Amino acid sequence: MADIEKLKPGEILADASVADFISRLGLGIAEAQRALDENSIAQLGEFVQPREGLGGKSLLQLGLMPAFYHYQHADLSCSLQLSMRVAESTSLGVGLNFGLNNASSNSSNSSNAQSNTESGSETRTEARSASMEIHAATVGAISIGGQTFNLSGADPLARLRGLQADLLANPAAGIGRALLSMTPQPLAISTNANPNQVVVSGNTVAFVAQDYGHGIIQVDSNTATTYLLSAAGNVSAVTTPQASVPSYATHVRDQIVAAGYRAVVVGPNDDIGRVFFETGRHDINSTGPSVAARNADVDRMLLRIAQAIQTLNLQVAVEGFADAQPFRGGTAAQSAASNRQLGDLRAREVRDRLIANGAPAANISVVASRGSQDATAAGGPADNVEYRRTSIRTVNRTAHWVFVHALPPATRLDGVTPDLRGAAQAGNGFIHLYAATPLQLSSKKVTVEGTDYPLRGTAVAGLTANSPEAYARNLADAVNAQAAVNHVASASANVTTLLRKTQPIQMELITAESRDIEITESSGVTVTRQFSRSSSTSQSQSSSGNTTVAVGATIDFRFSRQFEQSVTGNSAISARLVSIPAPPEFLALVKDFLKE
């Protein structure tokens, strides 16, 4: 039999040999006919035997003959029942065994910081922050992390910056960074002095003067030009064309330096000024160990830029940066937000100084800080003062500039040519000049909230008499000496900052240590947010040991097929037999035989 699984129904019926079955029924009739004929022939022997009872005659002689039978007709009927079943089954079994053997020792404690250590492979810490408000007039002491810190100093900003420095210098306090910010509360401030020498705003008084001149030369053409630096001294810098405009700008600088001046080239996309900062700090100073050399002339540089912004109506952008050095107890990656905040505060310090020195606030935009992103991309040491800075750059400038500075007493700037000041035109020449101007403030005063403060240039605290810095310091001291007034003052370089005594100054403290650090309030200090409790926010965990993992898998695939076929049926034959005489020829032949 063929493969049943592959047969169609008609093919299965043909394969069951139904035709053979019916054929065999017909052959059965034929075989029955032959048997009847043979039986009749076999009877001849009886008919030809003489019989004594019959007088020795045979039945044939007496006229009897054997009968022959013939199927006159036959009806065949059959029925067939065919059944087939094909069964197929497939089964798949999968088994998975997993075993874990972890031989380790774990210890954990609640902490505001998260710290995970795995067998010397990684240490991670997350920072927490707290904040407090300190009134401008506050003095006394405050407790942070179980350590006592005094708020002492000649003025409000001196006290707060001293607190910053003390916190960062004391590891027992657990503070990694301390950031200062405030929302100004303007005061009514006025002066009867020359506004070009004393610039007042809502919270500052700036004393504007220099002891040497400076100027800006525009270079946008590679053209031979003679620059007159001092008409009185008959000093000039003669230049010739170079290979390109940038090369020519460098040539101009070199010729001016050769004439006895200081000069710096600034390309169209270069910073026109940079201010550097100590680690974790955002106050402008020129005495810190890592910034002293870079910030040697920072106060006068900011004054010069502020005057140029005002005179030339420049649009400038300031942007603060941070290096990749982590604050104490932290990592660079996890202090990224704090680094951006620090960069923004550095930019605002520089912006505020420019505005105090007379630059219009609308001309200065602050670019959101990228924190330590640039320092990290540049590589190099994590502690990199080059990225602890604020950059000042002009917007949409296309020409090269050469900054020129006279070096008193040997040189000065006067009667300069080519003179492009106020012309807003292309070409090579001076576009800005600020001559040396001594302060003349005799009998001048500043009035704050109705209280007059005569201006004094007395030498104080190592500051030269009649210098802008001396005037700023003397004004701050005079304000702070008036206990009855509702304002206090601070002095920084040539700027005096005035604040209401109740003015709140925010200090944000950041730590990466896991221990609890408590801040205790005191008079004039309000804790607006304590460090989050270690038990409620995070977990510190250390683990050591070996871990074994075993995995086993089994797959059982089974396939089976069953075939079953049955054929059942019944049949019926209906036949009609008739007797016929033996053929005459046959009988004659028999008779002849008997005669012989």
Side-chain angles (χ1 to χ4, degrees):
M1 180 175 286
D3 188 350
I4 295 177
E5 182 186 12
K6 299 179 180 178
L7 292 180
K8 298 178 181 179
E11 294 172 331
I12 295 173
L13 186 62
D15 192 63
S17 301
V18 176
D20 290 345
F21 182 71
I22 296 174
S23 175
R24 288 174 184 175
L25 290 176
L27 290 175
I29 297 296
E31 289 177 356
Q33 180 68 59
R34 182 171 60 83
L36 289 172
D37 291 342
E38 289 178 350
N39 182 65
S40 296
I41 292 172
Q43 292 178 4
L44 287 175
E46 297 293 333
F47 281 86
V48 297
Q49 291 292 333
R51 297 181 182 274
E52 293 180 1
L54 295 178
K57 293 183 178 181
S58 66
L59 293 176
L60 185 62
Q61 290 174 331
L62 294 177
L64 297 174
M65 294 179 291
F68 281 83
Y69 299 92
H70 177 69
Y71 283 107
Q72 189 176 23
H73 64 80
D75 295 325
L76 304 179
S77 65
C78 68
S79 63
L80 184 66
Q81 291 83 40
L82 174 65
S83 67
M84 180 191 72
R85 186 170 67 90
V86 179
E88 180 177 310
S89 65
T90 303
S91 64
L92 176 66
V94 178
L96 179 64
N97 298 319
F98 176 81
L100 172 64
N101 179 18
N102 185 5
S104 63
S105 61
N106 297 311
S107 63
S108 62
N109 63 285
S110 296
S111 172
N112 282 21
Q114 291 184 351
S115 176
N116 300 318
T117 305
E118 298 182 1
S119 301
S121 61
E122 182 184 17
T123 300
R124 261 175 60 177
T125 8
E126 292 186 356
R128 298 173 293 150
S129 64
S131 62
M132 57 184 176
E133 288 184 349
I134 304 174
H135 290 170
T138 298
V139 294
I142 187 170
S143 175
I144 300 176
Q147 304 294 307
T148 299
F149 298 91
N150 293 316
L151 283 162
S152 59
D155 58 56
L157 293 182
R159 289 192 289 271
L160 290 169
R161 287 167 181 165
L163 177 59
Q164 274 184 307
D166 292 344
L167 286 170
L168 298 181
N170 188 340
I175 303 302
R177 184 163 289 170
L179 306 176
L180 289 172
S181 62
M182 66 177 174
T183 301
Q185 296 179 354
L187 300 169
I189 305 175
S190 61
T191 183
N192 63 349
N194 185 337
N196 292 326
Q197 294 189 342
V198 180
V199 179
V200 299
S201 68
N203 289 99
T204 60
V205 177
F207 297 89
V208 180
Q210 292 198 141
D211 54 5
Y212 60 89
H214 69 89
I216 301 175
I217 294 176
Q218 173 181 279
V219 176
D220 65 3
S221 174
N222 187 14
T223 305
T225 306
T226 297
Y227 300 92
L228 179 61
L229 304 174
S230 173
N234 194 25
V235 181
S236 298
V238 180
T239 64
T240 58
Q242 304 296 309
S244 63
V245 172
S247 297
Y248 175 72
T250 302
H251 172 61
V252 173
R253 178 202 64 189
D254 293 342
Q255 295 303 104
I256 291 173
V257 170
Y261 292 74
R262 185 164 62 91
V264 178
V265 175
V266 179
N269 297 316
D270 293 341
D271 297 340
I272 61 173
R274 289 184 172 184
V275 180
F276 295 90
F277 298 85
E278 292 292 335
T279 299
R281 301 288 293 271
H282 54 86
D283 55 300
I284 300 170
N285 75 84
S286 57
T287 60
S290 67
V291 301
R294 293 174 174 82
N295 282 355
D297 196 36
V298 65
D299 298 317
R300 286 182 172 80
M301 180 266 290
L302 291 173
L303 174 58
R304 292 194 297 267
I305 292 177
Q307 294 299 302
I309 293 172
Q310 182 182 42
T311 302
L312 300 175
N313 195 29
L314 298 176
Q315 296 293 322
V316 301
V318 296
E319 181 178 2
F321 299 85
D323 62 12
Q325 181 182 189
F327 54 82
R328 183 172 55 241
T331 65
Q334 290 159 330
S335 61
S338 176
N339 280 336
R340 290 192 296 270
Q341 183 181 8
L342 178 61
D344 286 336
L345 289 174
R346 287 171 172 169
R348 291 170 190 167
E349 291 274 356
V350 171
R351 176 202 61 187
D352 292 347
R353 179 67 69 83
L354 292 174
I355 293 173
N357 279 324
N363 290 37
I364 305 171
S365 60
V366 174
V367 179
S369 175
R370 298 189 295 269
S372 60
Q373 179 178 318
D374 290 17
T376 301
D383 181 2
N384 190 342
V385 68
E386 293 297 332
Y387 288 95
R388 296 199 302 270
R389 73 171 194 270
T390 291
S391 293
I392 309 168
R393 57 180 178 272
T394 55
V395 178
N396 299 326
R397 176 166 57 91
T398 59
H400 285 71
W401 282 357
V402 178
F403 285 85
V404 182
H405 307 285
L407 300 175
T411 60
R412 59 183 180 177
L413 287 171
D414 60 80
V416 298
T417 60
D419 189 354
L420 305 180
R421 289 178 292 169
Q425 58 182 297
N428 300 337
F430 281 89
I431 59 173
H432 175 66
L433 183 68
Y434 191 86
T437 53
L439 287 173
Q440 298 175 350
L441 302 177
S442 177
S443 73
K444 303 303 180 182
K445 65 181 180 180
V446 167
T447 302
V448 181
E449 298 282 295
T451 301
D452 293 337
Y453 298 96
L455 299 180
R456 297 182 297 111
T458 307
V460 58
L463 301 176
T464 304
N466 297 320
S467 65
E469 294 80 7
Y471 275 103
R473 179 74 266 170
N474 284 322
L475 175 59
D477 291 344
V479 171
N480 294 330
Q482 296 288 335
V485 299
N486 191 33
H487 46 267
V488 290
S490 296
S492 180
N494 64 311
V495 177
T496 302
T497 300
L498 296 112
L499 305 170
R500 299 185 188 278
K501 288 183 175 179
T502 55
Q503 164 79 54
I505 302 172
Q506 288 74 39
M507 176 174 282
E508 182 168 2
L509 305 177
I510 301 172
T511 183
E513 296 190 8
S514 58
R515 63 187 174 94
D516 286 341
I517 300 176
E518 190 79 19
I519 306 173
T520 302
E521 294 182 348
S522 62
S523 178
V525 178
T526 302
V527 178
T528 56
R529 185 178 70 254
Q530 289 276 6
F531 289 110
S532 55
R533 293 289 180 182
S534 56
S535 59
S536 62
T537 60
S538 58
Q539 186 178 30
S540 172
Q541 183 176 12
S542 62
S543 303
S544 62
N546 298 318
T547 299
T548 303
V549 178
V551 179
T554 60
I555 300 176
D556 180 17
F557 178 78
R558 297 182 182 182
F559 175 76
S560 64
R561 288 188 297 177
Q562 286 183 322
F563 305 97
E564 179 181 335
Q565 177 178 312
S566 65
V567 179
T568 60
N570 55 68
S571 63
I573 302 176
S574 175
R576 184 176 181 181
L577 290 174
V578 294
S579 177
I580 61 174
E585 292 83 358
F586 177 73
L587 294 176
L589 182 61
V590 172
K591 290 178 180 181
D592 290 341
F593 174 75
L594 292 175
K595 289 177 180 181
E596 293 176 359

